[in-house]
Amino acid sequence: MLSSKVHRVSHRMSHKYGNQGSMNPSPQRRSLSDLPMEDRSADQSNTLLSAFLDVLNSVSTERGKQDSLGRIPMGKPDKMRNRMWNCTHLSTMIKLMRNSSEESACYMRAFVAPLSWATLTNQAENNMDPDDYDTLLLAVKPVLLSMKRMTLPTRVEGQNMKKMMKMLQGVYDPMSEDKRTQVVKWAKEQFTENYFNCSLRPSRSTLMERCKPSLKWLDMEALTMMGPYLSRLAPGDVDSSPKEKLCEFFRSARFRSTFSRVTRVNPSLGKKFLQKVQECFSGQEEFAEHVDKLGPLACYYNGAPDLTPDLSRKLLSQTADCDNPRITKLKKRLLKSVMSDTNDASGLTLNELGSSVTLLSPKQLSTIPSANIQEVLKTLGPNVRWTKAQLRTLVKKQLGNKKCKEVSYKELMALGSLVEGVPRCMLKHVKAREILSDTEGLNKISKRMRKGQLKAMLQGLRENVNPSELVQKLPGPLLHCISLNNLDNANITSLDQVENKIWSLPQAAFIAKKMNDLKQLKYRRMRSVLQGLTCKMIDKVADHDVKDLAQAIEETPQWLSKVQTACAARKFFTTLEKKRPNYFKAITVEELDEIPTSLLLHLPPLMVNNLTDSVCPVFLDKMEAANLGSLPLRSPSRPALTQRALLCLTKGTSLSKLTIEDVSRLGPLLCELQPFQLRLMAPDVLNPSLQAMASCHHIPQRHRAQLIQLVNQTFGDPSDWSAETMESLGPLLLLDDDAISALPNKPWMKDTLYFLKPRLSHVSNALKKKLFYLTTTSNGARKKREANSNTVSNPDSNSKKLTVDVIEELGLSNVYWTADQLNAISVDTFFTTVETLGSVSGYDADQLTVLSKKAIEAFGPVSQMNESAITQMGCIAQGFSDSDLEMFAFSMDTLEEIARCSWNESQMQPVWKGIAKHNNLIAQQLVAADMVALNRFICGLNASEIQQLNIDAFKDAVGSMDGIQCSFEIAQELKSLAVSAFGDPSTWTEAQVSDLGNINAGLNAAELASLDPSVFSFLRKTCIALIPPRNFAALSVAQLEALGPDNAAMVTSEQRAALNGKQLASLDRASTGTRGQTEDTGSGAPSLTVEGISAYMKPLLFLFTGFLLL
């Protein structure tokens, strides 16, 4: 496939630089002035261009001789290589490129890199000069980083293997995990075949005898050549290293330098490596002298002995990147050892602690000099996380006791990650000119600020700076806080004023409409503004501008929703059909190649099925690199694309003929395969295919049960799996709740599940409960229970005690303790872990009752609880009575954090009363920053208070109040305020509807029915389920269709039950993304007619017939 891509690059380059038929100088060749000339003399330019054109000529004559899948016929690679190396300028050209600027050589580099790699992977080494081999290696890096699927040389021997591995080590960091694994597999094959004259490949693919399992191939030379790729070995490979060689490697500086480039190692491999290197020493004490070399292996050194303060400091530095929750316990033990050398934290060298400084208690932090704190804040950067109590302590220490003192921009910047703890009142007074002169610094700290803080800072800036200047100078998060009203006042008259910025959806919709009215929709310059395009705008794009729109989508597909992408695809396909009837039936390779992949995914099934076999190479290239995220999960194009790709690969034969390479060509379409199709594959293809499917972001729900059954049949009962198998296939097994519950409680299971958790697109309650069970039940109790029963039950009296370590490891999973178990927490333990317990939002009434009593034991009666105590309690505050809530000292600065708790509607009013009383607020005096800070607690205002809200402040604030979920009665009152602010709902624009968020749910049936259909895809997803079913039923067919797939997926069963047949059909079209497609135009999914069923079922019937014939 690389060869076919080289030919297409050659084809494009010949258009760019000269005549298609000949690369010899001709009048049609572009002049040197057309190429970048920066940093090069005229002589350099002529030499580089001349060399480039000669190389291009050497392969251009082979164009058009590839087979049906775009591969060069047998013998052609040698002919291409001979032509290329007969060109005397190639070596000169590659060396010239090295000495040229990136811009000046980019055209040549784009061509020479894949050609050089194609030559390396198809060459006979004996015929190549060593200097030429080195020169080629210098040129291949760009293609290795850009290739979706990497083709490695069949055989590399001797010194060339060392050179190749050195080059591959150089591209390790940006390389994907799949490519790293591919390199490891290939390198193992090369090592065994070159140095041990045996093979790890299937016997039918080589004449060599198979290597014996006992072969010790991972010697010192292999360890050195593998470098950071050692992190992708299988645990069994470590056993293939002779003990003396592995020990020598560990003791050398190479081990540390190798693993310093590795940030993560699978648990099974990490533990195996750790076990093997520990065997190099007579005991734990001797091994402990080398803990500073461990790197990511330190994440699994849970059994570390008590160490000296110096060794503890060294090991602590090695655990900085560990993300396993279990490692916190080890870090705390090490920190305690480090601190044993000093009387208090003031004597610590904080920079040596790194991110572990966040494990110090607020009391310990309070003893550290401010200058030391400031220095460590610089070192840690803006991403370190502090507890609320730590923030409060450190901000007070750095800025003093005065809550609303005037703070300089320099002081603010010095706070770094502490900025989220700065009171809003301080941010209002920062000098505007100081802020706006440092956009980069402002962007860093604003990413750590809450919406209330951002709005308060913006409020202060607006007093001295006009909206136009703010639009020009404000970075990301602060820019998003500019209201539509202020955006309107910014006097935007040109795309120049708004391009190259990241806009929010409401802002983008406002700007897109503005640019549309000004006739300045220059699509390739719009970037984030593209998300504001409506389907109406897309439908009206002139035919001669459609290509620009398509190119803009190809360059920045992330900015378009599924609805917008589908609309753009329909417009693009319609334009193509105008050029030539039945365009896709006779489409050429070049024409298909020019269609952006994100649009091609939306090609209706009938058109997909009509694609000719001649375009299969390009079609497969595009599918392999596709991102299915823009395609609705229920789109009929998904199975159609999958079947067409299979037909391209099988060419009329059975799926049993597919190779591993063939299956890799499917890309994300592999995730769409049905289990019966997978069963047709050969066993040596099925196994790696299932392992590859473990990386799928989405597997259709209807396929999951049979897929898990197939996994069990192929790899055996999961209770017998090794840790390595679980790491590889776990994501598939974890799709099923019953399979999760049945997982054996093996010693390695918890670490493996923690390792897999971040890889999952959805973490089920079953997995959370399993991890809770493994964490809270002692090993002895688990063994006893397993001996008595095969079932897994909830933790009981055999559970571990609720210690600080257990509670902090569990985090949000503390929700699974029973009320009786929570009641057993000691006051000291509660006080230490209150923030962790308070971060849980899903407690039931009994749990909250117990925890609120614990809070009173820890902090005293409600009347004595201060802001700090209320803030630390977090969601535990839900367990107090309404009268207690009215007495709470709620801080306006931390309301956003407790707003996500599971408050019920009846609690909104007492919380608002408590806030108003403590902060001396009344409704009519609330400014925009107050409304934003209130968040969902604005739902606690009564109807009279809502009517008193300042309309201008509301208009300024509403875009940042996107998380509120009020009762329908309160939503109606807020809607009335919105009508006063923005006019009748029938006139609301896409920007205004998006800005109002969940307040749209307060519209009555008539108001909903009056909304323009084009605004419905701009509704927030969270708003849909809040609309009462009787009001939802008032929506027209056009409005329901316009919801789009994501919003349609949020419709509740009660809302669906209120719809009639036509409405349900339109909602289904919204879900599948087939809005506006009809059977008679040839566009859209085939309807349930004879033609539609036939077009859709032909590929399925073919594959099913193959199944029957086996």
Side-chain angles (χ1 to χ4, degrees):
M1 273 321 302
L2 182 60
S3 300
S4 69
K5 292 177 181 176
V6 168
H7 282 308
R8 288 207 297 279
V9 171
S10 173
H11 175 72
R12 291 171 182 165
M13 289 294 187
S14 65
H15 277 293
K16 193 171 192 73
Y17 295 107
N19 190 309
Q20 290 185 47
S22 172
M23 288 293 101
N24 293 323
S26 73
Q28 295 178 350
R29 179 179 296 173
R30 292 183 63 179
S31 69
L32 289 176
S33 61
D34 292 329
L35 293 176
M37 298 285 292
E38 190 174 318
D39 299 326
R40 287 193 287 125
S41 67
D43 288 341
Q44 287 175 317
S45 299
N46 280 284
T47 303
L48 185 55
L49 179 60
S50 175
F52 169 65
L53 293 176
D54 283 335
V55 173
L56 193 60
N57 182 46
S58 70
V59 294
S60 63
T61 56
E62 300 303 319
R63 195 184 320 122
K65 298 181 182 180
Q66 60 265 37
D67 67 12
S68 61
L69 284 181
R71 296 173 295 207
I72 301 172
M74 190 66 68
K76 294 299 180 185
D78 287 338
K79 188 174 181 181
M80 271 180 59
R81 186 190 68 253
N82 291 334
R83 281 177 176 269
M84 190 177 95
W85 284 109
N86 284 336
C87 168
T88 58
H89 293 291
L90 182 63
S91 294
T92 302
M93 176 183 168
I94 293 176
K95 291 170 183 175
L96 278 171
M97 285 166 47
R98 289 187 67 200
N99 297 323
S100 301
S101 68
E102 183 72 23
E103 182 182 1
S104 64
C106 65
Y107 294 120
M108 293 75 165
R109 190 174 286 113
F111 175 78
V112 170
L115 183 58
S116 298
W117 187 245
T119 305
L120 284 169
T121 54
N122 289 288
Q123 48 85 27
E125 284 187 321
N126 296 333
N127 298 330
M128 187 175 291
D129 182 85
D131 288 340
D132 292 339
Y133 194 89
D134 295 345
T135 303
L136 277 179
L137 282 177
L138 293 173
V140 300
K141 184 175 180 180
V143 74
L144 288 179
L145 298 181
S146 62
M147 284 186 347
K148 177 70 177 177
R149 182 170 39 86
M150 187 164 54
T151 303
L152 292 159
T154 304
R155 187 73 182 266
V156 182
E157 298 180 355
Q159 290 300 312
N160 285 350
M161 182 62 186
K162 293 182 180 179
K163 295 174 183 177
M164 179 67 73
M165 287 305 299
K166 184 177 180 180
M167 183 276 295
L168 289 170
Q169 285 190 35
V171 295
Y172 173 85
D173 293 330
M175 191 176 279
S176 69
E177 292 295 316
D178 289 341
K179 285 183 182 177
R180 291 174 182 175
T181 302
Q182 186 182 350
V183 169
V184 169
K185 181 176 181 294
W186 172 83
K188 286 164 59 178
E189 293 169 353
Q190 298 299 314
F191 293 150
T192 55
E193 292 173 15
N194 287 336
Y195 303 112
F196 299 95
N197 202 30
C198 64
S199 179
L200 298 173
R201 308 185 205 203
S203 56
R204 65 173 182 269
S205 63
T206 178
L207 297 177
M208 288 185 177
E209 65 178 28
R210 290 279 293 173
C211 296
K212 295 179 180 178
S214 59
L215 178 69
K216 299 292 185 181
W217 63 269
L218 193 58
D219 56 19
M220 178 63 87
E221 191 169 17
L223 286 165
T224 303
M225 280 196 275
M226 291 288 278
Y229 291 99
L230 290 171
S231 65
R232 304 301 300 170
L233 291 175
D237 292 328
V238 184
D239 290 325
S240 299
S241 183
K243 179 178 179 180
E244 66 278 8
K245 298 300 180 184
L246 182 60
C247 293
E248 181 185 350
F249 183 66
F250 179 74
R251 287 189 171 95
S252 72
R254 280 171 288 185
F255 186 92
R256 184 189 306 204
S257 63
T258 292
F259 278 91
S260 66
R261 296 180 58 187
V262 176
T263 56
R264 199 176 193 194
V265 175
N266 290 7
S268 60
L269 178 62
K271 292 176 182 180
K272 171 64 76 171
F273 252 125
L274 193 61
Q275 173 199 332
K276 287 295 183 180
V277 296
Q278 283 180 298
E279 291 174 2
C280 298
F281 302 92
S282 59
Q284 288 282 5
E285 289 186 7
E286 185 184 359
F287 173 70
E289 297 293 328
H290 300 270
V291 292
D292 57 330
K293 296 180 179 179
L294 290 180
L297 303 188
C299 301
Y300 306 106
Y301 194 26
N302 295 317
D306 291 334
L307 302 174
T308 64
D310 183 56
L311 289 176
S312 294
R313 186 179 289 107
K314 290 179 179 179
L315 180 56
L316 191 60
S317 69
Q318 300 293 295
T319 64
D321 294 324
C322 300
D323 55 4
N324 186 323
R326 296 181 66 187
I327 203 68
T328 303
K329 182 178 180 180
L330 172 62
K331 286 183 177 182
K332 285 187 172 182
R333 185 157 61 88
L334 295 173
L335 182 61
K336 185 177 181 181
S337 172
V338 171
M339 291 188 63
S340 66
D341 254 2
T342 62
N343 294 327
D344 56 38
S346 63
L348 290 173
T349 306
L350 295 184
N351 283 335
E352 290 186 10
L353 297 183
S355 60
S356 295
V357 72
T358 59
L359 298 176
L360 295 173
S361 69
K363 184 177 180 180
Q364 291 169 324
L365 289 170
S366 68
T367 66
I368 300 174
S370 295
N372 292 10
I373 292 290
Q374 192 165 323
E375 186 62 32
V376 80
L377 290 173
K378 287 181 185 178
T379 304
L380 292 177
N383 298 322
V384 66
R385 296 290 169 183
W386 305 94
T387 67
K388 299 168 192 173
Q390 287 174 327
L391 278 174
R392 196 178 185 90
T393 298
L394 289 172
V395 170
K396 183 178 178 181
K397 186 172 186 63
Q398 298 304 102
L399 297 181
N401 290 324
K402 191 174 179 182
K403 182 176 180 180
C404 292
K405 66 173 281 189
E406 188 168 315
V407 58
S408 71
Y409 178 63
K410 184 178 180 181
E411 289 177 301
L412 196 63
M413 286 300 300
L415 289 176
S417 57
L418 299 179
V419 72
E420 63 182 299
V422 176
R424 294 177 310 128
C425 56
M426 284 188 185
L427 297 171
K428 293 178 183 179
H429 305 300
V430 181
K431 297 290 188 296
R433 292 301 162 195
E434 291 182 353
I435 288 182
L436 296 178
S437 64
D438 181 17
T439 303
E440 184 180 349
L442 182 58
N443 187 43
K444 287 180 180 178
I445 63 167
S446 63
K447 288 179 180 178
R448 292 300 302 267
M449 294 166 68
R450 298 183 301 274
K451 288 183 179 180
Q453 289 177 303
L454 292 168
K455 203 68 181 181
M457 178 177 278
L458 187 60
Q459 180 181 324
L461 293 176
R462 281 170 45 205
E463 294 177 2
N464 301 299
V465 183
N466 64 56
S468 181
E469 186 177 355
L470 290 176
V471 165
Q472 291 293 312
K473 295 183 176 180
L474 286 182
L478 270 169
L479 185 68
H480 290 177
C481 286
I482 295 180
S483 67
L484 296 182
N485 193 47
N486 284 319
L487 205 56
D488 194 23
N489 293 331
N491 192 30
I492 297 172
T493 58
S494 168
L495 188 59
D496 296 337
Q497 296 170 261
V498 296
E499 68 178 325
N500 298 323
K501 289 182 175 291
I502 307 299
W503 298 99
S504 68
L505 179 58
Q507 291 171 330
F510 175 88
I511 295 169
K513 185 177 185 302
K514 189 93 169 176
M515 294 300 104
N516 185 60
D517 294 342
L518 294 170
K519 302 190 183 305
Q520 291 192 32
L521 289 176
K522 298 172 184 177
Y523 304 106
R524 297 185 70 182
R525 291 175 54 195
M526 291 174 67
R527 303 185 72 82
S528 71
V529 178
L530 285 171
Q531 63 184 313
L533 291 178
T534 67
C535 284
K536 280 183 179 179
M537 294 178 191
I538 293 171
D539 290 341
K540 292 179 180 178
V541 175
D543 288 352
H544 61 269
D545 288 331
V546 168
K547 188 174 181 180
D548 273 348
L549 175 61
Q551 287 177 321
I553 294 171
E554 184 174 30
E555 292 163 3
T556 53
Q558 70 274 20
W559 290 118
L560 275 82
S561 67
K562 296 181 179 71
V563 172
Q564 292 166 314
T565 307
C567 290
R570 283 197 297 273
K571 178 67 179 179
F572 187 70
F573 300 151
T574 300
T575 305
L576 294 179
E577 292 284 348
K578 288 180 182 178
K579 289 184 178 180
R580 183 178 70 235
N582 297 316
Y583 185 88
F584 287 93
K585 283 187 177 181
I587 193 170
T588 66
V589 167
E590 289 77 12
E591 288 171 338
L592 187 64
D593 195 31
E594 290 179 355
I595 299 176
T597 302
S598 56
L599 298 186
L600 184 63
L601 293 175
H602 290 263
L603 195 64
L606 190 59
M607 291 183 178
V608 173
N609 294 336
N610 285 337
L611 292 175
T612 63
D613 291 344
S614 63
V615 300
C616 278
V618 175
F619 178 75
L620 290 171
D621 281 349
K622 286 182 171 290
M623 293 304 102
E624 186 177 1
N627 179 357
L628 300 185
S630 68
L631 197 59
L633 296 179
R634 293 184 54 209
S635 170
S637 293
R638 282 179 178 257
L641 292 166
T642 305
Q643 304 314 324
R644 190 67 192 90
L646 288 174
L647 287 171
C648 280
L649 291 169
T650 58
K651 293 182 286 188
T653 62
S654 168
L655 289 177
S656 63
K657 303 297 183 183
L658 290 177
T659 64
I660 294 173
E661 181 183 1
D662 289 333
V663 173
S664 72
R665 302 293 308 280
L666 290 171
L669 292 180
L670 173 64
C671 307
E672 301 291 318
L673 291 187
Q674 299 181 59
F676 91 84
Q677 294 170 319
L678 292 165
R679 290 180 187 277
L680 296 174
M681 294 179 180
D684 61 342
V685 177
L686 174 61
N687 288 21
S689 297
L690 289 173
Q691 289 173 332
M693 290 183 74
S695 298
C696 291
H697 294 298
H698 172 77
I699 290 176
Q701 186 70 42
R702 62 187 180 279
H703 297 172
R704 294 181 183 180
Q706 291 185 35
L707 179 62
I708 291 172
Q709 184 181 31
L710 177 59
V711 169
N712 291 347
Q713 291 171 354
T714 305
F715 294 93
D717 192 318
S719 62
D720 298 324
W721 285 2
S722 66
E724 182 185 0
T725 304
M726 187 65 192
E727 289 167 0
S728 175
L729 294 165
L732 294 179
L733 201 66
L734 298 179
L735 293 171
D736 181 70
D737 288 354
D738 291 336
I740 293 172
S741 298
L743 286 174
N745 301 315
K746 295 183 177 180
W748 48 261
M749 184 60 71
K750 184 165 70 165
D751 279 338
T752 303
L753 293 179
Y754 275 134
F755 170 76
L756 292 174
K757 193 176 174 184
R759 295 175 56 191
L760 305 178
S761 56
H762 170 70
V763 179
S764 66
N765 284 329
L767 177 56
K768 293 174 186 176
K769 289 179 180 178
K770 185 69 179 182
L771 281 168
F772 175 81
Y773 172 73
L774 292 172
T775 303
T776 60
T777 308
S778 63
N779 292 332
R782 286 202 298 269
K783 290 177 182 177
K784 182 178 179 181
R785 182 172 296 130
E786 288 169 10
N788 295 332
S789 172
N790 292 324
T791 62
V792 177
S793 59
N794 290 326
D796 50 21
S797 56
N798 292 312
S799 296
K800 293 181 181 177
K801 291 182 178 180
L802 278 79
T803 62
V804 170
D805 289 335
V806 170
I807 290 172
E808 291 187 344
E809 180 181 337
L810 285 171
L812 297 179
S813 292
N814 281 294
V815 72
Y816 297 114
W817 295 112
T818 66
D820 287 342
Q821 289 169 325
L822 290 172
N823 196 41
I825 300 176
S826 70
V827 174
D828 287 342
T829 298
F830 177 86
F831 191 84
T832 304
T833 61
V834 63
E835 287 196 34
T836 302
L837 293 169
S839 66
V840 180
S841 62
Y843 291 125
D844 62 28
D846 291 338
Q847 291 170 313
L848 286 170
T849 298
V850 169
L851 289 172
S852 60
K853 290 179 179 177
K854 290 289 178 183
I856 291 173
E857 290 179 41
F859 297 112
V862 172
S863 60
Q864 295 178 16
M865 290 183 184
N866 57 23
E867 272 190 13
S868 177
I870 304 300
T871 299
Q872 290 181 74
M873 279 197 300
C875 293
I876 295 173
Q878 298 170 103
F880 287 83
S881 67
D882 289 355
S883 58
D884 287 338
L885 291 174
E886 290 186 27
M887 295 173 61
F888 269 4
F890 287 112
S891 168
M892 286 284 286
D893 291 313
T894 57
L895 292 178
E896 289 176 49
E897 295 174 15
I898 63 170
R900 59 177 177 73
C901 304
S902 302
W903 299 95
N904 58 51
E905 291 179 8
S906 66
Q907 291 178 309
M908 292 293 101
Q909 192 170 63
V911 171
W912 156 243
K913 288 182 178 179
I915 294 168
K917 181 180 178 181
H918 180 67
N919 295 277
N920 196 27
L921 296 174
I922 55 175
Q924 59 263 44
Q925 293 179 355
L926 292 177
V927 297
D930 295 330
M931 294 183 191
V932 173
L934 278 173
N935 203 277
R936 67 181 297 189
F937 297 113
I938 202 169
C939 301
L941 277 68
N942 59 38
S944 175
E945 289 174 316
I946 291 174
Q947 291 168 13
Q948 296 172 37
L949 292 175
N950 182 283
I951 291 179
D952 289 335
F954 175 78
K955 288 171 70 175
D956 193 14
V958 69
S960 299
M961 294 163 55
D962 54 352
I964 64 172
Q965 292 189 17
C966 303
S967 66
F968 181 66
E969 291 73 20
I970 296 300
Q972 280 185 305
E973 296 297 333
L974 291 172
K975 175 265 302 181
S976 297
L977 191 64
V979 171
S980 300
F982 299 111
D984 190 271
S986 62
T987 67
W988 287 356
T989 64
E990 292 79 10
Q992 290 168 334
V993 165
S994 180
D995 215 35
L996 286 167
N998 292 342
I999 293 175
N1000 289 293
L1003 295 169
N1004 61 37
E1007 290 167 331
L1008 278 172
S1010 73
L1011 292 174
D1012 189 301
S1014 68
V1015 308
F1016 276 79
S1017 64
F1018 287 81
L1019 284 170
R1020 304 283 175 97
K1021 288 194 297 184
T1022 53
C1023 171
I1024 303 299
L1026 301 177
I1027 301 173
R1030 64 183 181 278
N1031 294 348
F1032 192 78
L1035 297 180
S1036 68
V1037 167
Q1039 288 174 318
L1040 288 166
E1041 265 194 23
L1043 279 172
D1046 293 334
N1047 281 342
M1050 303 301 293
V1051 175
T1052 67
S1053 56
E1054 291 81 4
Q1055 289 170 328
R1056 290 184 67 91
L1059 303 179
N1060 61 37
K1062 288 185 177 180
Q1063 288 174 310
L1064 287 171
S1066 65
L1067 184 62
D1068 191 57
R1069 288 193 292 275
S1071 297
T1072 57
T1074 53
R1075 175 191 178 196
Q1077 296 182 6
T1078 57
E1079 61 187 271
D1080 57 337
T1081 63
S1083 65
S1087 60
L1088 295 181
T1089 62
V1090 173
E1091 181 186 36
I1093 293 174
S1094 174
Y1096 187 73
M1097 290 301 295
K1098 278 180 183 177
L1100 290 175
L1101 290 171
F1102 161 75
L1103 292 166
F1104 189 64
T1105 301
F1107 176 68
L1108 293 175
L1109 291 175
L1110 288 180

